[in-house]
Amino acid sequence: MNSILEEYDKKKNVLENLDKSLDTLINSLLKRKGIEAHQIKTRVKDRDSLEKKILAKQKYKSLDDITDIVGVRIITYFDDEVDQIATLIEEEFVIDQDNSVDKRKIDSDKFGYRSLHYVANLKKDRTNLPEYSSYKGQKFEFQIRTILQHSWAEIEHDLGYKGEFEIPSTAKRTFYRVAALLEQADIEFVKLKSTIAQYENNLSQNIKANPSQIEINKASLISFMSKNENVINFENDVFSDEYNLVVIESDVESSAYARLINKIKSLGIENIKQLEEFYLEHEKQLRDSLKSLFPLERNTIRRGDSVLILINYTLPKLTVQK
């Protein structure tokens, strides 16, 4: 054991640098793939934990035998993102299949959180780079799981029971039920995400076909502000031609949408057709009110900002004038 700990002490700086490099690398890879994780956390096993592990297992001969000295935990929002990240890791790293395990495939009547564990090391083309050269052959562990799977793991750890045979018989049924509920919730969240994505994908077409049937919500408002021909034509004419602003496609904050929707609905506007009619009805007042707003100390403006200005600035101004 002493020899392993001495080896650990000598490599501590390298391990800590690997920890930082993996954090940067994983964040970069996920961003490139457009995957937004809930949390990415890396860590180097501390000396006390390592010593306890060596004593408990009684099987390690060298530091290289311990594959989770450096660990990366990736927590996703949705269950299908676990597989997306798994594919990415398999593409970008060398996987030690013998020491990797998919705990999502455990028997349904067994206890334990469901997460995907990979033991891996960097590929040769990466360790050939100077910044990664000192990590050649060094193994590390990935843990990938959803928020709900992580919650189960944390609660299970807090309760102090990890195995089926440790659970009191009187509590087993409750444990099974909670595990099943969390697993079903993961499934339902993926379905919910898919339903929303399908709604958003069909939204532009549905708005054109029957705008009076499309309620005012965040997705429909974004579509109206960014794709409605009347909004686009007005902003190109006024923002671009009159005020020489570059109109950029950029979303606004979620909180701004919530406030805007509340104000729109307070006007009795419940669907996209009514909103379009309202926009056209007040186009002249909107144009006039812009004269007091410009010039601004900027050379760009977001697509759809005319709707924000109409609701948040022009209408209150008209009310005061009355």
Side-chain angles (χ1 to χ4, degrees), residues 63-300:
L63 190 66
D64 290 338
D65 294 333
I66 304 172
T67 56
D68 65 342
I69 289 290
V70 177
V72 182
R73 178 179 292 162
I74 306 172
I75 300 176
T76 70
Y77 289 101
F78 299 98
D79 193 42
D80 58 344
E81 292 169 341
V82 173
D83 290 321
Q84 294 174 25
I85 295 172
T87 299
L88 175 65
I89 288 173
E90 289 175 1
E91 290 173 351
E92 296 290 340
F93 299 89
V94 179
I95 306 300
D96 180 351
Q97 296 292 352
D98 292 336
N99 289 302
S100 301
V101 59
D102 189 347
K103 292 189 176 183
R104 298 172 301 167
K105 297 179 180 179
I106 62 175
D107 296 336
S108 59
D109 62 343
K110 297 291 179 64
F111 290 100
Y113 66 90
R114 297 168 181 267
S115 67
L116 179 58
H117 290 226
Y118 278 130
V119 172
N121 55 276
L122 297 171
K123 284 187 173 181
K124 186 176 180 180
D125 58 351
R126 191 161 270 130
T127 55
N128 283 339
L129 300 173
E131 61 267 36
Y132 293 106
S133 60
S134 58
Y135 312 138
K136 185 176 182 180
Q138 177 63 54
K139 291 188 176 182
F140 41 85
E141 183 185 63
F142 287 106
Q143 292 182 7
I144 317 164
R145 58 201 192 207
T146 67
I147 291 176
L148 292 181
Q149 290 163 353
H150 181 64
S151 299
W152 174 262
E154 293 294 298
I155 292 170
E156 189 180 51
H157 180 270
D158 188 59
L159 289 172
Y161 292 97
K162 287 194 173 183
E164 179 180 4
F165 298 108
E166 293 183 12
I167 306 297
S169 298
T170 54
K172 281 188 178 182
R173 185 168 181 173
T174 301
F175 261 71
Y176 286 134
R177 186 166 60 248
V178 172
L181 285 171
L182 290 177
E183 184 176 354
Q184 187 61 39
D186 259 338
I187 294 170
E188 294 303 322
F189 276 129
V190 172
K191 288 181 182 178
L192 178 62
K193 182 178 72 167
S194 177
T195 299
I196 292 173
Q198 185 175 3
Y199 172 82
E200 291 177 346
N201 289 337
N202 297 332
L203 196 54
S204 295
Q205 184 177 346
N206 291 337
I207 286 176
K208 287 182 180 179
N210 202 347
S212 64
Q213 296 300 310
I214 306 300
E215 65 177 1
I216 300 293
N217 55 42
K218 181 180 176 181
S220 64
L221 186 57
I222 290 174
S223 182
F224 177 80
M225 292 171 68
S226 61
K227 297 179 181 179
N228 182 272
E229 290 183 2
N230 293 303
V231 174
I232 292 173
N233 290 337
F234 178 88
E235 292 183 345
N236 287 345
D237 181 33
V238 177
F239 292 157
S240 298
D241 296 343
E242 289 188 28
Y243 295 103
N244 296 317
L245 296 172
V246 176
V247 181
I248 59 173
E249 306 296 331
S250 177
D251 207 356
V252 302
E253 299 80 8
S254 293
S255 58
Y257 282 121
R259 292 192 298 270
L260 186 59
I261 290 171
N262 286 333
K263 288 183 179 180
I264 289 171
K265 290 193 173 184
S266 72
L267 297 169
I269 299 171
E270 297 293 336
N271 60 63
I272 292 298
K273 183 175 177 60
Q274 291 173 337
L275 180 59
E276 182 176 36
E277 290 172 348
F278 186 86
Y279 184 88
L280 292 172
E281 180 185 346
H282 293 85
E283 198 172 84
K284 182 182 182 303
Q285 292 94 327
L286 173 61
R287 185 185 291 266
D288 290 341
S289 70
L290 291 174
K291 294 176 183 178
S292 61
L293 290 176
F294 293 96
L296 297 174
E297 293 181 358
R298 58 199 286 185
N299 54 17
T300 64

Side-chain angles (χ1 to χ4, degrees), residues 38-86:
H38 168 67
Q39 183 184 89
I40 300 172
K41 188 174 182 179
T42 61
R43 65 100 183 100
V44 178
K45 191 180 287 293
D46 62 52
R47 201 177 194 278
D48 289 341
S49 297
L50 176 60
E51 186 173 358
K52 290 176 183 177
K53 181 165 187 168
I54 296 170
L55 288 171
K57 299 291 184 178
Q58 294 289 322
K59 66 176 184 178
Y60 302 117
K61 297 180 179 179
S62 73
L63 190 66
D64 290 338
D65 294 333
I66 304 172
T67 56
D68 65 342
I69 289 290
V70 177
V72 182
R73 178 179 292 162
I74 306 172
I75 300 176
T76 70
Y77 289 101
F78 299 98
D79 193 42
D80 58 344
E81 292 169 341
V82 173
D83 290 321
Q84 294 174 25
I85 295 172

